[in-house]
């Protein structure tokens, strides 16, 4: 499933949603989660119709029991998705800083993704938007 993440990628500060203790201190996890929850409440990306596919995708990580995943509400799903996209975009910006949408040299990033050097789950569309892929 392809999700339009253009607004998040071009208007947000990714370090607000995904950062390490080295970058933000001991409260990095709670701070970035609170920021992602606030963002998800104000500007959700995933719709109710997309939640089953997102939940199935998250099951593949092995970090949660099915009951836990099924209990996530739409804001929690959007917050987690925001954190995943932010991490991927930060990776892209670090590896391939450029003047493309989201501050990325997308041609360089595509080459790294094809070589298996980075996740490759985010990419620009032909329509000038940035998309994230959720699925296997």
């Amino acid at each position: 499933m392809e999700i339009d993440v253009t607004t998040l990628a071009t208007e947000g500060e990714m370090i607000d949603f995904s950062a390490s203790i080295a970058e933000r201190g001991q409260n990095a996890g709670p701070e970035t989660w609170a920021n992602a929850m606030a963002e998800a409440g104000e500007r959700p990306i995933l719709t109710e119709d997309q939640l089953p596919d997102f939940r199935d995708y998250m099951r593949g990580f092995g970090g949660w029991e099915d009951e836990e995943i099924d209990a996530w509400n739409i804001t929690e799903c959007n917050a987690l998705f925001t954190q995943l996209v932010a991490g991927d975009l930060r990776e892209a910006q670090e590896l391939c800083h450029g003047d493309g949408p989201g501050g990325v040299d997308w041609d360089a990033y595509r080459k790294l993704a094809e070589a298996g050097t980075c996740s490759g789950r985010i990419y620009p569309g032909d329509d000038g938007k940035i998309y994230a892929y959720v699925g296997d």
Side-chain angles (χ1 to χ4, degrees), residues 3-18 35-36 39-40 43-46 78-89 93 101-102 122 130 132:
I3 309 291
D4 180 353
V5 296
T6 307
T7 301
L8 175 66
T10 58
E11 296 179 14
E13 291 295 328
M14 297 306 103
I15 197 167
D16 289 342
F17 310 120
S18 177
N35 292 340
E39 178 74 12
R43 295 191 297 188
I45 300 170
L46 299 171
N78 270 286
L80 186 50
F81 183 64
T82 295
Q83 288 194 309
L84 292 172
V85 170
D88 288 348
L89 189 60
Q93 291 167 338
I122 56 172
I130 300 173

Side-chain angles (χ1 to χ4, degrees), residues 13-123:
E13 291 295 328
M14 297 306 103
I15 197 167
D16 289 342
F17 310 120
S18 177
S20 69
I21 289 173
E23 294 168 307
R24 293 185 71 107
Q26 292 297 319
N27 289 325
E31 287 175 4
T32 57
W33 180 248
N35 292 340
M37 285 290 286
E39 178 74 12
E42 291 174 24
R43 295 191 297 188
I45 300 170
L46 299 171
T47 65
E48 285 282 350
D49 292 344
Q50 294 168 323
L51 295 185
D53 288 337
F54 177 73
R55 287 186 174 113
D56 286 345
Y57 175 66
M58 295 310 297
R59 290 180 213 291
F61 285 77
W64 304 271
E65 298 294 327
D66 286 346
E67 297 78 23
E68 237 181 320
I69 293 170
D70 292 338
W72 293 340
N73 64 40
I74 191 167
T75 303
E76 291 166 325
C77 288
N78 270 286
L80 186 50
F81 183 64
T82 295
Q83 288 194 309
L84 292 172
V85 170
D88 288 348
L89 189 60
R90 288 193 71 203
E91 173 189 59
Q93 291 167 338
E94 280 187 34
L95 293 173
C96 305
H97 182 73
D99 58 2
V104 178
D105 176 341
W106 290 105
D107 288 332
Y109 182 73
R110 179 185 47 78
K111 290 175 186 170
L112 290 178
E114 288 172 354
T117 304
C118 58
S119 70
R121 288 185 300 260
I122 56 172
Y123 51 90

